[in-house]
Amino acid sequence: MSMLEVTGFGKSFTIHHLDKTMPAIKDIHFSLEAGEFIGIVGKSGSGKSTILKSIYRTYLPDAGKILYDSEKYGLVDLSRIAERQMLYLRKFEIGYVSQFLNVMPRTTCRQLVTNTLLEMGETEDMAQREAEKALTHFELEPKLWDSYPKTFSGGEKLRLNIAMATVKKPRLLLLDEPTASLDQHSKIKVREIIEKLKSNGTTLVGIFHDIEFMEVLCDKVYDMHPRREVGIGVES
């Protein structure tokens, strides 16, 4: 059984003030085994992020299925399961990294990563230790740990976002341009943690404009233009 299988997926958006429905994507098909990484490539506006947001259930698809082999519930269709089940999967099994940091106000960098682990049932001591290890790995300076992220640079916010998502060691990790504003050294740090997650069985779906970076990591590539899997090394 595949860890993730997207079949016949399609999504449209309604512009209510124009009373108009615009198709975004259709006929998306791909599957992943546990520990595999698929990279999605395509032009801006081709619907790459829409796929990730639909897997995470930020969006609801109009067509098709998103089948996920969950540890808690077995095989489920992420587009149709109950909201309380989806909330559980987001907390314990599915991680999401976007280009943007959206966190609780007046919560420090250290608290954000620690709280992620506390929500999963870790002890306070373990959560603190693992949070500090993650922040150190992504080279967020200790002087920032007890500061509010609203003061951070774009690269610092993105590294914090990645730390929060990967510290949970999710079964399925969704990456939406996770290296968009990072320098080469920081990209290598991201690659190291992705390689470690893969070796421990995490399944990944990612969007990268940095094709060279992606090729080192991916087992498969899905091209949005022909809407099919293509060989590693595809030019988009």
Side-chain angles (χ1 to χ4, degrees):
M1 181 186 295
S2 299
M3 173 68 77
L4 181 71
E5 185 173 357
V6 177
T7 60
F9 171 78
K11 176 65 180 172
S12 299
F13 294 96
T14 299
I15 306 172
H16 293 283
H17 71 281
L18 297 177
D19 193 24
K20 192 173 185 180
T21 298
M22 306 288 291
I25 48 177
K26 62 180 181 179
D27 299 329
I28 303 296
H29 301 266
F30 63 81
S31 64
L32 284 170
E33 302 302 318
E36 285 191 323
F37 189 174
I38 191 168
I40 303 176
V41 299
K43 296 178 181 178
S44 295
S46 61
K48 303 184 298 297
S49 293
T50 298
I51 295 175
L52 260 63
K53 289 176 180 177
S54 297
I55 295 172
Y56 200 61
R57 249 278 277 280
T58 306
Y59 294 158
L60 282 173
D62 300 314
K65 296 180 179 180
I66 302 172
L67 300 176
Y68 167 64
D69 185 18
S70 73
E71 187 172 59
K72 173 74 171 178
Y73 304 113
L75 186 65
V76 295
D77 184 348
L78 296 178
S79 64
R80 291 175 173 82
I81 63 170
E83 189 63 27
R84 61 178 175 78
Q85 292 176 307
M86 193 67 218
L87 290 172
Y88 176 94
L89 294 178
R90 287 176 184 154
K91 182 180 290 187
F92 293 99
E93 297 193 26
I94 303 176
Y96 185 97
V97 179
S98 76
Q99 303 172 51
F100 311 105
L101 183 66
N102 183 18
V103 296
M104 291 290 290
R106 301 187 65 79
T107 307
T108 68
C109 173
R110 189 202 305 260
Q111 287 172 330
L112 286 166
V113 185
T114 301
N115 289 345
T116 297
L117 291 163
L118 290 175
E119 288 176 355
M120 297 181 68
E122 295 287 359
T123 65
E124 182 77 35
D125 286 347
M126 175 64 78
Q128 287 278 1
R129 287 198 300 271
E130 291 299 312
E132 290 178 6
K133 281 169 57 177
L135 294 171
T136 300
H137 177 84
F138 290 110
E139 297 186 348
L140 282 155
E141 297 181 25
K143 67 181 182 181
L144 297 175
W145 293 0
D146 296 311
S147 300
Y148 299 137
K150 65 181 294 184
T151 66
F152 290 9
S153 69
E156 288 165 346
K157 289 178 180 177
L158 184 51
R159 278 180 279 154
L160 172 58
N161 221 5
I162 296 168
M164 290 170 60
T166 58
V167 75
K168 297 193 301 182
K169 300 178 177 63
R171 297 181 78 241
L172 174 64
L173 181 59
L174 311 172
L175 303 165
D176 191 350
E177 297 285 0
T179 60
S181 58
L182 299 182
D183 59 27
Q184 191 61 30
H185 181 71
S186 297
K187 288 180 181 180
I188 291 170
K189 290 290 183 180
V190 175
R191 184 163 62 208
E192 287 173 356
I193 204 72
I194 290 175
E195 287 171 342
K196 185 175 181 179
L197 288 168
K198 276 192 69 180
S199 69
N200 290 330
T202 295
T203 306
L204 301 105
V205 184
I207 299 169
F208 295 89
H209 278 307
D210 187 341
I211 303 301
E212 183 179 351
F213 178 89
M214 186 179 75
E215 284 178 358
V216 177
L217 296 167
C218 286
D219 303 294
K220 301 176 178 180
V221 172
Y222 188 89
D223 193 334
M224 295 297 292
H225 178 59
R227 290 200 293 274
R228 60 179 173 83
E229 287 184 28
V230 296
I232 300 293
V234 62
E235 293 290 333
S236 177

